[in-house]
Amino acid sequence: MEQIKITAEDGEIIDLFVIEQTRVNGMNYLLVAESEDDEAEAYILKDTSNEDAMEAVYEFVDDEEELDSLARI
């Protein structure tokens, strides 16, 4: 399973495992978890970086409407 590192707002580096990746309406999303354990909590990240960016910039999706529509996928 692919692993990524993200930097939290407080500067802490968080390791996340990518479970699934999808593209919806031109936006890239990742389904990630803090461990490979089946019981681990999962999160959805949205790629908010510019097309020209050297590295992707991801934000946690916290909008309930957006989460509901992504959950159906």
Side-chain angles (χ1 to χ4, degrees):
M1 192 176 295
E2 181 182 353
Q3 190 174 12
I4 62 171
K5 295 179 185 292
I6 64 168
T7 305
E9 291 179 4
D10 64 1
E12 178 186 1
I13 303 294
I14 303 169
D15 292 323
L16 297 170
F17 292 90
V18 178
I19 300 168
E20 191 73 42
Q21 181 175 357
T22 191
R23 186 171 181 87
V24 178
N25 295 328
M27 187 70 62
N28 291 320
Y29 292 92
L30 297 178
L31 176 62
V32 299
E34 293 178 347
S35 74
E36 294 181 282
D37 183 8
D38 289 341
E39 307 260 336
E41 190 151 343
Y43 306 97
I44 297 177
L45 302 177
K46 176 173 35 176
D47 184 350
T48 60
S49 57
N50 295 329
E51 291 181 20
D52 304 342
M54 297 293 284
E55 291 187 11
V57 176
Y58 287 97
E59 293 181 5
F60 287 93
V61 176
D62 56 6
D63 178 68
E64 289 298 322
E65 232 176 88
E66 189 174 11
L67 283 171
D68 287 344
S69 66
L70 290 168
R72 290 184 219 126
I73 297 170

